[in-house]
Amino acid sequence: MINEAWESVPEHTLKRSWRKLALYLENVDQSNDSGSITVTELNGLLKQIPGCGNCEEDDVSSWLDYDADDAGFQLMSDDEIIAQVQKPNSDDDNRESDED
């Protein structure tokens, strides 16, 4: 369900969003060689974004830790992988018929 929601977001929407955020990121001190940012720094950036002024460091830490145990992909058994590969994909069938 979340995957479908992300796929429905047009690429231009994401690009425009990042452009708006870039204005806030220009003020970030780039001298940090480690490439990492502290929770305090991130919280400071969030407070500059309209609608995020009430963010607290505990909230930011919670958001960052939320998916710490997530591998970033779905773990599937061999049987689940085979079933997924063999499942017909109606989206692909519709695209092919539209191109004809």
Side-chain angles (χ1 to χ4, degrees):
M1 185 157 132
I2 293 173
N3 184 35
E4 292 172 6
W6 269 112
E7 288 180 4
S8 69
V9 176
E11 183 178 340
H12 67 272
T13 301
L14 294 173
K15 287 181 180 180
R16 288 179 188 157
S17 299
W18 278 109
R19 280 189 213 128
K20 290 178 183 178
L21 286 174
L23 298 173
Y24 298 104
L25 296 176
E26 288 174 359
N27 298 325
V28 176
D29 181 11
Q30 298 293 326
S31 64
N32 186 353
D33 292 336
S34 69
S36 62
I37 185 169
T38 66
V39 171
T40 304
E41 292 171 325
L42 184 56
N43 191 42
L45 289 172
L46 287 171
K47 287 185 183 237
Q48 295 178 27
I49 299 172
C52 295
N54 295 330
C55 294
E56 299 297 330
E57 286 188 29
D58 289 341
D59 297 326
V60 175
S61 292
S62 175
W63 296 334
L64 294 174
D65 292 338
Y66 183 76
D67 59 352
D69 296 330
D70 186 1
F73 52 88
Q74 182 180 359
L75 297 175
M76 300 171 76
S77 69
D78 290 345
D79 292 333
E80 290 171 323
I81 294 170
I82 293 168
Q84 185 69 30
V85 170
Q86 291 178 340
K87 185 170 72 172
N89 190 344
S90 61
D91 288 344
D92 289 341
D93 294 341
N94 290 339
R95 286 189 196 128
E96 289 176 10
S97 64
D98 290 342
E99 293 173 0
D100 293 339

